[in-house]
Every structure is written in structure tokens, then in C-alpha cells.
Amino acid sequence: MTIVSAFLVTGSPLHFLRPDNPPWKTVIDGFDRASRALAMSRPDALLIYSTQWMAVLDALWQTRARVSGVHVDENWHEFGELPFDMTVDTALANACVQATKAAGITAKGVDYDQFPIDSGTIVATRLLDPEGRIPLVMAANNLYHNTATTERIGALAAAAARSQNKKVAVIGVGGLSGTVFREQIDIQQDRIADQNDDRWNREILRLMEKGDFPQLDAKGLIYAQEARVDMGFKHYSWIKGAIGRRFFGARVHGYGPAYGAGAAVVEFRL
Amino acid sequence: MSKGEILAGFLAPHPPHLVYGENPPQNEPRSEGGWEPLRWAYERARKSLEELKPDVLLVHSPHWITQVGHHFLGVRHLAGKSVDPIFPNLFRYTFELEVDVDLAEACCERAAQRGLTAKMMRNPKFRVDYGTITTLHMIRPQWDIPIVGLSANNSPYYLTTEEGLDEMDTLGKATREAIEKTGRRAVLLASNTLCHWHFQEEPTVPEDMSQEHPQSYDGYKWDMRIIELLRQGKTSEVFRLLPQFIDEAFAEVKSGAFTWMFAAMGYPELPGELHGYGTVIGTGNAVMEWNLVKAGLAASASGPAANGRESALYGST
């Protein structure tokens, strides 16, 4: 089996930078459990797509063998830095570039010293694979790609892994509902900002737990619009494409707020 | 301390292609040139800036996007290497800049007093966005004037365009108050493209100008309409049309810098000087100047403002 595990996780830096903040503890604890599940699935590489790595011209793939540095989030600079040191599976990443191009989607590899790695990718990899042992394949969120194209790119990445006989874990990094507090709040009082958003998030997570694929497909677009979901929920499309539109249920390891927005850690049963 | 004032405002777009085309030593990639009319436009703007001799440059950039509040660079010295996440093949720039933290703090304080959420950025490891750097390099490549960097709060996208631009208007007014209070002689830089429809693919040779033209004819016509109004000093008409322009031309002025700058200047009905217009990967870019010293609305380095003209030229404040 090529895909050995799949996760949908938040890319907010808040939980990583302030793990002891009570409202953010459930998500951090969820990452702990997901991290153990990921390790047990023993992947050769992680296929990771982050809504926060934004591209405009092409489908971008990170192809530099090692990326390291310190990132400071554009919004949450007061909470500290996000150091990172990542190894890239360049053979698989380059295969993804070629496969994307062959499918008629313009694509490029990115191989530059100090290329800015986004907060979401850093947070997800630091919390899911704290020792940084598993090589990565990182894909960007092209703002002009819709959910169908994103799903297709996810499928292409999985096919590329299959052709190299690699076992991979799929990770979609992004938020749930997008209503945020626009003013300073006491972070100890953080909560989902909008009750309707909360209802929507819980409904979608429940459908994931049930593995109700048809209902998720039917409701996904409305959810994305009504709950202002991060980047139209394209991180879920990435996972859906990579796992071949098939899972039997999910375990919600954690759900909670990220300055009013929705954040979750979900593991899919494949 | 004498009362500070705004000497001029510039529409100063930030395509990294312009830095790439110029081949400054700070930028790693090398080019054969390209986008000359826009780069020459910036050369004219540089001469004008030189004559103004400002104490500080303030730049509002759409590529430092913040969700909670309007942020201000608040570290005196910032340095690093900025790699453009969209065009890393063109822009890998080693920068070093000095921030006028006192003015930044005053802007932040005034913005908060006017009811905006405002925050100082104090992390010394913060990487300054490429929009800020490109605009600053193109207008003043010597990097010898302190700066104030403002983030683009995402309110025009999160709220309605009108609600978001109302916030930018308030931010502009707060900025002017801070400049006046701190006694600075300031120049404002609105780091915005006009029509933002662009091509989805880059030419094999990025500086191959045979491939460069407006992506959208309708967008081009919108740009010309707006520029002509600005050249005639019909500022209130421009702001009446702005939401429609933003909607139909996907104009980057939605992100707020243009409104911020004009609000700070008091929306003068003053003809803007067009230094040049050109497209970059299909988007419309104008380098324009509103020189308040030449118009008698601000004092030159050697003389007082012609205050009598103020009421005739200023629109609503």
C-alpha cells in the first residue's frame, strides 16, 4: 500500500508557540496522538500541502535537499520564532514536478537558499515529526487552483510515490472555519468566534468520523462558503486526491480555536 | 519641535521584476534588463525624492498581510535575505535597513486612539516582505533614509471593500497625525499595482519584452481612466470609482496602500505627476507623484508652505 496514513491538521503557529495555553491544549494533545500514529505507519516520506504556502504562477514543489532556518510568522511575531530543519525527498519531489507537467498543469521545482518556508508547513512537521526523521515532499497552494485541480495534484503525487515504490503519509495543512477575532483578545479566553462556524466544523468532523464520503462531497462547498473555510478547504481536496477518494472513517484527535478560527487534528482510517 | 508634515506621496508599485531588470549588487539573479520604461519612471521619481530631502519614508505593503490589526515594523535595524515566494528566480535580495521606531510607535499609538487594532512588530528575526523591499529599493537604492513599514491588514478582503478601505482611511489620518506630532518631514509610498490581472505563465526568458503587454484590455482601459483622472487632480472622482475599479480590474489598490496614502495627504485635488506606466507579467503599474511642496502644501527644505492655497486644494480631511 502506497498511502500508509493521512492527516488533516491546522497550520496555525499559535498552538506550537503557546502549547500550554488552555484553549489550545486539545489541539496540541491531538498532535501528540497523531504524531504517534504517523510514526507507527512508518512512511518513507510525507506528502505535505499547506494552504499557507501560496503560489500564483505554477504548481510549486520544494526540491532543495535540505531547508533550514528560522521563520517569524507575519501575524504572530510576538510569540517567538519557528526554527526548522527539513530534509526533502528530492527524487520524489522532482517526480511530482514532472508528473504535474505531464498532466498539463504548469509546474516548477523550487531550489533556492533561504526560500521562505511557510508557518503551516513548519508547524505541521515540527508537531507531527518532532525529530524531523521523515523526508518531505512539499506542495504549494496555487491560489488559482480550484478544489478539483488540487485533488488532481494530490492524486499525481500519490501516483509518483507509487511508481517509486515508496510508502507515504499524506498531510493537508490548513484551518477549518475562518472567522477570527479582529481585535486583541486574552488568549486564555480563545474560543470559536462564531457559533454557526462551530456547528459547521463539528458537522464536517462528524461526517469524517463516519467516513460519509458522499455527504462530505455534497456539503463541502457550502461549508467552505458559509464557514469561511481556510482557502476553500483545498487541503482536504489534496488529501482526498492522494488517498483516491476513499477512507473508512476518521479519528478527530483534537478540535479547538485558533484566535476564533477552527483548528483540528484529524487522522483518516484508510 | 516643529510640526512635521508630509512632503509628497508616491504610487510606487513593487514588482520584483524591476529590481531584477536593474541588476543591483544586492540581488543574486542577473538579467539582460527589461521593463525599462518603468525603471526609468523610478529614476525620475528618485530625482524628485532627492530634492525633497525627507527624514523618513513610510511604506504600506500588500505583501505583509496581517489578520489582527495594522502592524508596524518596530526594530531599529533589520537585515537579511528576502527571497520572493512567487518569483524566487528573480528576487533574492540581501537587505539592510533602519527603522524610525519613534515615528512607527507614534503611528501605532494614533491608530489605536482612532479605534484601530494596532501592534508593533518587535521581533528582530522578522523577515521584511519583498513588497516593502522592492518599493524602497526602487525609490531610494542608497538605503540611507530611515523607514516606517506598515502591514496591510486584510480588512478589505475579510470585510467588504468599503469597510476595509474605511479602516485604511483611518490609518492614513492617524499616520498624518503621528508625522505632525513627531516633527518628521515624511514621504509616503503606496506600494500598489493598478490592474492586477496577470498571465499564469512566465516567459522562458522573464525579461523578454516581446512577451510583455497588458493581460486584459479592459483592465488597461481602467488603468488609463484612473491615471487620467489622477493627472487632472480629480481625486474625489477617483475615490468614487475606486470600488468599481477594484472589482472590475482586480486592482491591487484594494489592499489599502493607495487609500492610506491619500487619506494621510488629506485627499488633495492635486494633479499627480505620472513618471511612467508599464506592465509586468500583464499587470498595470504606474509610478506617480503628488508633490505637496511644489504645490505649496508643505514646506520645502528651505522655505515655508504657501498655507493660503491649502483650503483651495484639499478635499475632505
Side-chain angles (χ1 to χ4, degrees):
Chain A
M1 191 163 78
T2 301
I3 310 294
V4 293
S5 54
F7 302 87
L8 185 142
V9 301
T10 176
S12 168
L14 293 170
H15 309 87
F16 179 80
L17 292 167
R18 287 290 181 275
D20 295 331
N21 184 40
W24 299 340
K25 195 81 174 54
T26 53
V27 166
I28 280 292
D29 291 345
F31 265 114
D32 275 349
R33 289 187 284 274
S35 172
R36 286 196 291 276
L38 174 67
M40 284 175 63
S41 71
R42 303 174 70 83
D44 299 316
L46 308 181
L47 300 182
I48 185 165
Y49 169 98
S50 169
T51 56
Q52 292 182 56
W53 179 12
M54 294 182 214
V56 170
L57 290 186
D58 305 285
L60 297 182
W61 302 85
Q62 180 61 247
T63 53
R64 196 167 185 82
R66 188 175 175 196
V67 289
S68 61
V70 174
H71 173 62
V72 176
D73 188 75
E74 295 82 0
N75 281 280
W76 306 111
H77 37 77
E78 73 266 42
F79 291 137
E81 294 87 39
L82 300 165
F84 60 94
D85 188 353
M86 302 164 174
T87 304
V88 172
D89 183 336
T90 54
L92 184 49
N94 281 305
C96 289
V97 175
Q98 296 311 320
T100 317
K101 280 183 185 171
I105 302 167
T106 60
K108 271 186 190 163
V110 170
D111 181 2
Y112 301 102
D113 174 43
Q114 296 191 51
F115 181 86
I117 306 296
D118 67 284
S119 295
T121 299
I122 298 169
V123 165
T125 53
R126 289 291 309 273
L127 290 173
L128 288 172
D129 180 25
E131 304 300 319
R133 282 189 288 236
I134 311 168
L136 307 174
V137 172
M138 297 179 236
N141 160 27
N142 184 305
L143 298 178
Y144 296 100
H145 288 170
N146 58 18
T147 52
T149 304
T150 308
E151 186 175 328
R152 205 165 146 224
I153 293 171
L156 291 165
R162 198 173 305 121
S163 71
Q164 293 188 4
N165 292 316
K166 284 177 177 162
K167 293 186 297 173
V168 293
V170 179
I171 302 167
V173 185
L176 300 181
S177 60
T179 306
V180 294
F181 294 112
R182 299 193 66 251
E183 65 287 341
Q184 298 274 18
I185 60 164
D186 173 359
I187 59 172
Q188 295 195 28
Q189 304 300 319
D190 195 11
R191 59 186 164 76
I192 303 292
D194 184 291
Q195 283 186 355
N196 193 45
D197 283 1
D198 192 26
R199 275 194 294 274
W200 257 119
N201 292 336
R202 290 178 188 279
E203 167 70 0
I204 292 298
L205 293 173
R206 189 183 62 79
L207 293 173
M208 286 179 176
E209 285 175 324
K210 284 173 63 181
D212 193 340
F213 214 92
Q215 277 297 301
L216 279 167
D217 262 3
K219 293 188 172 178
L221 187 61
I222 310 166
Y223 168 54
Q225 288 171 347
E226 290 197 1
R228 309 175 72 134
V229 177
D230 184 16
M231 290 290 161
F233 214 22
K234 287 198 288 182
H235 38 306
Y236 172 64
S237 300
W238 161 262
I239 296 168
K240 203 162 62 165
I243 63 177
R245 300 179 63 87
R246 189 157 172 251
F247 63 93
F248 301 107
R251 185 170 175 202
V252 178
H253 289 297
Y255 166 64
Y259 223 83
V265 179
V266 180
E267 177 189 359
F268 295 91
R269 283 199 289 121
L270 305 178
Chain B
M1 185 195 300
S2 60
K3 188 180 170 188
E5 59 186 350
I6 295 166
L7 306 178
F10 288 84
L11 181 58
H14 56 261
H17 304 66
L18 306 182
V19 174
Y20 169 70
E22 191 178 283
N23 289 314
Q26 298 101 319
N27 199 34
E28 273 181 15
R30 298 287 102 185
S31 72
E32 295 180 304
W35 304 279
E36 280 79 3
L38 266 173
R39 293 196 285 115
W40 294 334
Y42 263 114
E43 282 182 13
R44 288 187 284 276
R46 287 171 184 175
K47 281 183 189 156
S48 188
L49 182 73
E50 176 70 27
E51 289 169 12
L52 288 165
K53 301 191 188 316
D55 300 324
V56 60
L57 306 174
L58 294 93
V59 57
H60 187 287
S61 167
H63 292 284
W64 179 14
I65 303 166
T66 50
Q67 290 179 340
V68 182
H70 303 264
H71 298 209
F72 302 81
L73 295 180
V75 177
R76 280 196 197 283
H77 181 81
L78 286 162
K81 184 175 174 183
S82 173
V83 178
D84 181 346
I86 310 293
F87 297 102
N89 52 328
L90 308 183
F91 190 84
R92 303 191 297 278
Y93 187 99
T94 301
F95 70 93
E96 193 164 357
L97 56 82
E98 302 299 321
V99 175
D100 184 340
V101 176
D102 294 341
L103 176 56
E105 286 172 344
C107 289
C108 187
E109 185 186 316
R110 289 285 168 163
Q113 284 171 1
R114 280 183 168 268
L116 297 177
T117 300
K119 196 191 280 192
M120 294 299 294
M121 196 301 296
R122 307 280 193 192
N123 193 316
K125 293 180 180 165
F126 188 76
R127 187 176 351 206
V128 180
D129 71 283
Y130 76 90
T132 296
I133 292 171
T134 297
T135 287
L136 286 167
H137 172 91
M138 291 311 296
I139 199 81
R140 188 69 179 176
Q142 301 94 319
W143 291 95
D144 58 354
I145 301 174
I147 70 118
V148 169
L150 292 86
S151 78
N153 178 267
N154 73 343
S155 50
Y157 303 90
Y158 187 84
L159 308 172
T160 65
T161 300
E162 287 80 359
E163 287 170 325
L165 293 184
D166 273 354
E167 277 204 19
M168 301 304 171
D169 170 88
T170 304
L171 182 69
K173 288 167 179 165
T175 302
R176 182 172 72 181
E177 288 168 0
I179 289 165
E180 288 173 352
K181 180 190 165 201
T182 54
R184 300 296 196 275
R185 303 176 71 255
V187 164
L188 309 181
L189 306 169
S191 180
N192 275 164
T193 288
L194 297 177
C195 170
H196 208 242
W197 296 118
H198 58 79
F199 298 115
Q200 301 288 316
E201 291 182 43
E202 200 174 30
T204 309
V205 177
E207 60 268 41
D208 177 357
M209 290 296 101
S210 70
Q211 306 295 309
E212 188 63 83
H213 57 86
Q215 193 272 352
S216 155
Y217 180 43
D218 286 339
Y220 174 79
K221 285 190 289 188
W222 255 119
D223 280 0
M224 293 307 112
R225 184 178 176 190
I226 293 293
I227 288 169
E228 181 58 10
L229 289 169
L230 290 170
R231 288 177 69 241
Q232 293 173 6
K234 295 183 176 173
T235 302
S236 55
E237 176 66 1
V238 168
F239 277 87
R240 188 186 69 77
L241 289 170
L242 203 64
Q244 189 187 352
F245 172 48
I246 285 168
D247 192 39
E248 295 181 12
F250 190 41
E252 199 189 32
V253 292
K254 179 168 182 169
S255 61
F258 184 74
T259 301
W260 160 79
M261 177 177 77
F262 266 93
M265 293 194 298
Y267 298 100
E269 295 283 327
L270 177 69
E273 183 178 357
L274 176 68
H275 290 301
Y277 175 86
T279 62
V280 177
I281 200 156
T283 65
N285 297 268
V287 180
M288 292 194 76
E289 175 181 357
W290 289 266
N291 191 315
L292 304 186
V293 172
K294 278 187 189 166
L297 297 171
S300 70
S302 57
N307 290 330
R309 295 186 61 196
E310 205 163 311
S311 58
L313 284 166
Y314 271 137
S316 63
T317 57

